[in-house]
Amino acid sequence: MDIPEDLLRRLDVPGPRYTSYPTADRFVEAFGADEYAQALRQRAAGAVVGGQPPLSLYVHIPFCESVCYYCACNKVITRHHERAREYLDALRTEIQLHTQLLGRGKPVSQLHLGGGSPTFLSDEELSGLMAVLNDEFRIVPGAEISIEVDPRTASPARLAHLAGLGFNRISFGVQDFDAAVQKAVHRVQSFESVRDLIAAARELHYESINADLIYGLPKQTPESFARTIAQVAELRPDRIALYAYAHLPDRFKPQRRIDAADLPPPEHRLRMLGGAIAGFIGHGYTYIGMDHFALPGDALAAAKRQGRLHRNFQGYSTQPDCDLIGLGVSAIGRMGATYSQNAKTLPEYYDALARGVFPVARGLALTRDDIVRRAVIMAIMCQGRVEFESVEIAHLIDMREYFAAELEALKPLAEAGLVEVGDRSIQVTATGWFFVRGVAMVFDRHLRAAQVRQRFSRII
Ligand code: SF4
């Protein structure tokens, strides 16, 4: 499958991934611990009145033993494993602050451990953390329990331990198998080690195995990346996430150690992206949307076929939208019509918990307009279709009137064959799926306001 070059060019630009709407850069400090506690109380009151869907939990483990130069995550680089103890104590306090308000034993249908490197923790520490979570919440049968694994800190025995703790989904950070690229980003891991781990995960019956890749890294060439794609396809992970590297050394310190002269030129990036899409589809993968691929038998591909995809902070998901508690430094949560993010540094995070308050540093209470737009943006990102009637009934608006400017702004995209705008619906076309974020961006009020501001400041 060949994607036209102009479309690839549109795809290969930084922009919101819409794991939330409004996006996290809109969160404000005026939303803090008190507002978050209020949102939790409201959920607790709602549970008494009518019951609610189960919770989703995200736990952030920030530690890594060594730094990958491309990294843009919130992490703490240390070889001092004893630092995990203080962190796990703080996490327990944070978990208990939640259950004091929500009540203990609330059902959880989704749990994700991310980082940093969750596998920085020892087997005993991971067992301890799961014991606390199981004590304070009730993880329901069939829950999705997933973990990000750095292959350099894992072994088949570790994967067996994780399976014993209930983990049923696993995600490996692969990025690229080429030796020169691995050296240039300071992350060396052999193809053989990843192959053995994936084989072990399969034997342990993990329901879904994911591999993360990055294109646009230093020393990558279209030819070297094509070899990595072929190697990854040979390993047959159920899901593949393909991310674009954005070189922002002013914002992310580790990236200063990357020599800009080693970065692939834009035309090579485009060939890598086009080659990856064509390669994975050619190897039988389904393009889910944005940066995700899945084998046809995987639950994500089935959800895409059946129009049941959802999107949360981890990307595409099969689970319906539910309240998400973000635990740990910098973690983001969603509670009712609010979003919140924890403090980004360990001292701030520890300090709040020592005072017995939620370590929330910023967040947002959504307006009615945010909620309508979120529904439209998520329908575009997940189903590729917006039925006007369902939005009108759910939000008591007239779509054509409310979104008159946006429907007008869709016209060039319709002329380019990316969307079809009818009287009662918007349909993203098969080609448009590769540009679905660009369609969603039309409905992002904050982004449009920023664009207008930018244009205005350029004029003056
Ligand atoms: S990329 Fe992942 S493993 Fe590497 S430093 Fe960043 S958080 Fe740690």
Side-chain angles (χ1 to χ4, degrees):
M1 169 168 204
D2 279 338
I3 311 286
E5 199 176 306
D6 65 322
L7 208 58
L8 286 175
R9 220 178 288 282
R10 289 176 176 192
L11 256 176
D12 186 40
V13 289
R17 298 180 61 242
Y18 293 117
T19 51
S20 68
Y21 179 81
T23 46
D25 54 326
R26 306 288 157 200
F27 296 179
V28 292
E29 283 176 14
F31 187 103
D34 291 344
E35 290 71 20
Y36 181 61
Q38 183 57 26
L40 284 172
R41 277 189 213 100
Q42 270 171 11
R43 176 173 167 108
V48 174
V49 176
Q52 278 157 331
L55 285 161
S56 183
L57 303 180
Y58 171 75
V59 186
H60 190 80
I61 308 294
F63 305 108
C64 300
E65 270 202 17
S66 82
V67 67
C68 312
Y69 295 161
Y70 56 81
C71 183
C73 305
N74 185 293
K75 79 278 171 199
V76 174
I77 306 297
T78 179
R79 287 185 178 276
H80 294 280
H81 281 256
E82 66 277 9
R83 290 186 68 180
R85 218 169 305 138
E86 183 183 11
Y87 190 72
L88 290 169
D89 286 345
L91 268 179
R92 187 190 304 113
T93 307
E94 191 186 5
I95 291 166
Q96 287 170 345
L97 280 177
H98 280 88
T99 51
Q100 276 160 21
L101 284 186
L102 291 175
R104 288 179 67 192
K106 294 292 173 225
V108 166
S109 62
Q110 207 173 26
L111 164 65
H112 182 78
L113 255 64
S117 304
T119 43
F120 179 91
L121 301 180
S122 67
D123 283 355
E124 295 67 34
E125 286 165 341
L126 283 162
S127 299
L129 174 59
M130 288 303 285
V132 173
L133 290 168
N134 277 302
D135 251 16
E136 298 290 332
F137 297 99
R138 182 171 59 83
I139 300 179
V140 301
E144 284 186 4
I145 310 180
S146 55
I147 184 164
E148 292 167 15
V149 169
D150 177 344
R152 297 168 301 172
T153 58
S155 63
R158 287 216 87 181
L159 301 192
H161 181 76
L162 291 170
L165 291 177
F167 286 95
N168 50 29
R169 276 146 213 279
I170 198 157
S171 178
F172 295 105
V174 173
Q175 326 314 358
D176 191 308
F177 280 128
D178 187 86
V181 177
Q182 291 193 355
K183 193 162 166 248
V185 299
H186 199 241
R187 184 182 174 115
V188 176
Q189 54 192 26
S190 69
F191 169 74
E192 290 71 23
S193 67
V194 176
R195 180 196 61 199
D196 293 349
L197 287 172
I198 289 187
R202 204 157 276 134
E203 264 179 41
L204 289 160
H205 303 295
Y206 278 90
E207 283 167 37
S208 189
I209 301 168
N210 177 82
D212 282 348
L213 297 179
I214 304 179
Y215 74 92
L217 292 175
K219 302 277 186 194
Q220 258 177 351
T221 65
E223 294 71 28
S224 75
F225 199 53
R227 281 193 297 275
T228 288
I229 289 160
Q231 283 174 299
V232 171
E234 179 191 325
L235 298 177
R236 290 316 263 174
D238 303 285
R239 297 178 189 180
I240 296 162
L242 171 71
Y243 299 112
Y245 172 62
H247 190 57
L248 300 167
D250 290 342
R251 264 179 72 193
F252 305 111
K253 235 175 163 182
Q255 297 187 354
R256 291 178 202 165
R257 298 169 81 168
I258 287 178
D259 185 348
D262 287 339
L263 292 172
E267 61 274 19
H268 282 193
R269 284 178 66 106
L270 294 189
R271 277 173 58 197
M272 286 185 234
L273 174 61
I277 294 172
F280 289 128
I281 291 176
H283 279 99
Y285 282 86
T286 301
Y287 181 71
I288 301 294
M290 278 288 293
D291 27 32
H292 284 73
F293 301 82
L295 286 175
D298 186 80
L300 211 52
K304 161 107 195 247
R305 281 194 299 276
Q306 295 156 6
R308 288 188 295 103
L309 271 185
H310 297 275
R311 204 159 164 79
N312 60 26
F313 290 107
Q314 271 80 59
Y316 283 108
S317 160
T318 56
Q319 296 255 330
D321 299 344
C322 45
D323 285 342
L324 164 74
I325 296 179
L327 298 160
V329 65
S330 79
I332 298 182
R334 164 184 168 160
M335 190 57 56
T338 71
Y339 289 120
S340 57
Q341 182 168 31
N342 278 350
K344 288 186 179 175
T345 67
L346 283 177
E348 291 168 286
Y349 175 72
Y350 289 151
D351 179 60
L353 290 166
R355 289 183 285 114
V357 299
F358 289 107
V360 171
R362 55 198 197 113
L364 197 68
L366 274 67
T367 63
R368 186 169 164 262
D369 178 71
D370 290 334
I371 292 170
V372 179
R373 286 174 191 273
R374 175 165 77 181
V376 172
I377 286 173
M378 291 307 164
I380 292 170
M381 295 294 296
C382 299
Q383 278 79 51
R385 185 174 179 84
V386 184
E387 293 287 353
F388 290 2
E389 194 180 352
S390 61
V391 181
E392 288 173 345
I393 292 172
H395 301 281
L396 302 175
I397 58 159
D398 179 327
M399 273 291 288
R400 302 206 70 88
E401 206 178 288
Y402 198 91
F403 288 117
E406 287 77 3
L407 292 171
E408 190 60 32
L410 279 181
K411 280 189 179 157
L413 302 187
E415 278 156 23
L418 305 177
V419 283
E420 287 160 5
V421 184
D423 275 351
R424 305 301 302 152
S425 66
I426 299 164
Q427 176 70 50
V428 177
T429 63
T431 316
W433 257 114
F434 293 99
F435 185 56
V436 69
R437 184 181 61 176
V439 181
M441 278 159 72
V442 169
F443 291 86
D444 183 334
R445 186 174 63 88
H446 302 279
L447 200 68
R448 285 168 72 85
Q451 281 165 351
V452 170
R453 268 200 305 278
Q454 231 176 33
R455 230 173 291 146
F456 187 63
S457 66
R458 241 183 273 142
I459 294 165
I460 53 174

